[in-house]
Amino acid sequence: MSPLVAVILITVTIESKGAAVKPVVSFNPNWGTVLAYESVTLTCNVAPPAQREQKYHWYRNNRNLTINDQSFTVNYAEEKDIGDYQCRAGNGDISEAVRLEVSGAHVILQVPPLVFEGDTLSLRCHSYDKFPAVETTFHKDHKEIKSLGTASELLVGKVNMETSGLYKCSRRIKSHSSFHNYSDQVDIVVQEMFSLPQIKVSPDQVTEGDHMTITCDTKLSPHRETTELQFVFYRNGHNVQGFSSSNQYGVPSAQLEHSGNYACEVQTPTGSVRKRSNGQQILLHGRAHAYRAVIISVALLSILLVAAALTYKYRHNLALPLACNGLLHQKQGSDRSTALVRLPNEEVDRPENENLSASQESPKV
């Protein structure tokens, strides 16, 4: 910060408080669709540390459920249990909605309700246990990817954005002494865990001796806000602050040698997702530069003040003659008007009267 700005402005330091983290709804088992009469447990996950004796609120399709526990189980799921589920801890923010489907089909392709990059993805071609099943096959975008025989679950592994696609499973189910083909398909969209980080520096123009703060700015998905990210900072390719939970790197009294190309990297606790920012060149200015900035600023301010004074004087001098001329024209116009006005009882001198008066005033011979 330049000395001029420091003189003009009063710096007020305000402690920045992080926004409240929304809770996240999860299912166990982690399938977005279950067969009718099966069970699923829902949990309201909050960012640590969780408060003891915390009261929770649950909602389905924006309607309040009479449930105050952190977790509850839907037993013997049926059509009335289908909907978007949300939760809230105490008086905090409400979570994003997570949808539960209940199906009565012979075969369903089960996938997690939400899939994020870095997740380990499993798919299940599921049917009722009382009906024997064989020839289970999985497809992606109309191409076969795996045939499992009697097994029902396929481990896809760690996913990225390219894992998205149309998935289908099929199997032969025995019913009434014969096998029949059934299938189901789901369009899986892998979502971004967190945005690509960006380097931000404060203050915008760093002068030698300033307290410089570099922030690694990223945003978690609302459905994964409870994830604790880790941050690392680099200058000119060298590590200046190792992985930690802080997204800021501070230099209390920055020097010219702290100039350089800064970048940061963000990862999940397991390292399953890791993203690096683009580099940003940060140039620190010396005190001489700051003094030159002061001189230039003062000079510009002086020029502006002189220009304003000259403009005011010019306009004032120009306005005075115009005002005088206006008064003069007004007075002359008033005199002419007076000369043309006659009183009602005033008589106009006639020529004969003028001659008579002249003869009377002449001296006698």
Side-chain angles (χ1 to χ4, degrees), residues 46-47 49-56 70 89-90:
V46 296
Q51 297 181 9
R52 295 182 179 181
E53 306 300 328
Q54 178 71 69
K55 184 178 181 180
Y56 293 86
Q70 186 174 10

Side-chain angles (χ1 to χ4, degrees), residues 2-313:
S2 69
L4 178 61
V5 176
V7 170
I8 295 177
L9 299 179
I10 298 176
T11 304
V12 179
T13 303
I14 300 176
E15 182 180 356
S16 177
K17 296 183 179 179
V21 177
K22 293 181 180 180
V24 175
V25 174
S26 63
F27 295 167
N28 185 26
N30 191 28
W31 306 122
T33 303
V34 297
L35 288 172
Y37 310 118
E38 290 186 327
S39 300
V40 59
T41 299
L42 285 73
T43 301
C44 187
N45 301 282
V46 296
Q51 297 181 9
R52 295 182 179 181
E53 306 300 328
Q54 178 71 69
K55 184 178 181 180
Y56 293 86
H57 306 273
W58 283 92
Y59 307 87
R60 181 179 61 234
N61 299 328
N62 298 319
R63 293 184 178 181
N64 189 26
L65 301 175
T66 57
I67 301 171
N68 299 122
D69 296 326
Q70 186 174 10
S71 299
F72 75 97
T73 300
V74 176
N75 292 304
Y76 306 104
E78 50 187 319
E79 186 177 356
K80 70 178 180 62
D81 297 309
I82 296 174
D84 296 321
Y85 286 83
Q86 294 172 280
C87 71
R88 186 174 66 199
N91 295 321
D93 293 336
I94 192 169
S95 72
E96 296 293 321
V98 180
R99 187 163 184 83
L100 175 66
E101 296 284 355
V102 179
S103 173
H106 288 85
V107 169
I108 58 173
L109 175 55
Q110 289 184 306
V111 302
L114 298 166
V115 181
F116 286 88
E117 55 182 348
D119 288 354
T120 298
L121 176 64
S122 291
L123 308 178
R124 186 163 77 153
C125 198
H126 186 45
S127 57
Y128 289 103
D129 293 337
K130 64 181 181 179
F131 299 112
V134 296
E135 299 181 17
T136 303
T137 306
F138 289 87
H139 295 76
K140 178 190 177 184
D141 298 329
H142 309 292
K143 294 181 180 180
E144 182 177 327
I145 54 176
K146 194 73 173 180
S147 180
L148 299 180
T150 58
S152 63
E153 193 163 337
L154 172 67
L155 176 62
V156 178
K158 188 183 298 184
V159 303
N160 53 35
M161 306 302 284
E162 296 180 356
T163 310
S164 299
L166 180 64
Y167 288 79
K168 178 182 177 181
C169 83
S170 60
R171 63 191 332 198
R172 290 171 60 81
I173 305 294
K174 187 176 182 180
S175 177
H176 303 294
S177 303
S178 61
F179 284 89
H180 302 274
N181 291 323
Y182 296 98
S183 65
D184 189 23
Q185 64 181 25
V186 176
D187 189 13
I188 298 177
V189 179
V190 178
Q191 301 184 46
E192 189 176 54
M193 173 78 75
F194 55 87
S195 61
L196 186 70
Q198 292 182 329
I199 286 288
K200 295 184 177 180
V201 61
S202 176
D204 294 336
Q205 295 293 330
V206 186
T207 302
E208 186 180 12
D210 284 351
H211 183 106
M212 179 176 70
T213 301
I214 297 175
T215 302
C216 188
D217 188 48
T218 187
K219 184 174 179 60
L220 276 164
S221 165
H223 290 283
R224 293 295 175 93
E225 285 194 349
T226 57
T227 303
E228 295 184 1
L229 298 177
Q230 297 177 343
F231 304 83
V232 63
F233 291 84
Y234 303 93
R235 182 178 69 242
N236 299 328
H238 299 287
N239 188 318
V240 292
Q241 180 172 291
F243 275 109
S244 71
S245 59
S246 174
N247 70 334
Q248 292 187 333
Y249 167 64
V251 181
S253 181
Q255 303 301 313
L256 295 179
E257 56 265 27
H258 290 116
S259 297
N261 188 280
Y262 283 83
C264 68
E265 207 164 36
V266 187
Q267 71 171 18
T268 55
T270 61
S272 60
V273 182
R274 190 166 179 167
K275 298 182 181 181
R276 183 167 179 149
S277 72
N278 295 322
Q280 180 172 325
Q281 191 70 30
I282 298 176
L283 179 63
L284 274 73
H285 301 291
R287 288 297 179 184
H289 178 275
Y291 294 145
R292 284 197 298 270
V294 172
I295 294 172
I296 293 173
S297 299
V298 171
L300 290 174
L301 182 61
S302 300
I303 291 172
L304 290 174
L305 291 174
V306 170
L310 291 175
T311 302
Y312 174 79
K313 183 177 180 181

Side-chain angles (χ1 to χ4, degrees), residues 333-349:
S334 176
D335 293 344
R336 285 195 297 269
S337 299
T338 304
L340 294 176
V341 176
R342 298 185 180 91
L343 295 176
N345 296 330
E346 183 181 358
E347 293 184 358
V348 179
D349 293 338

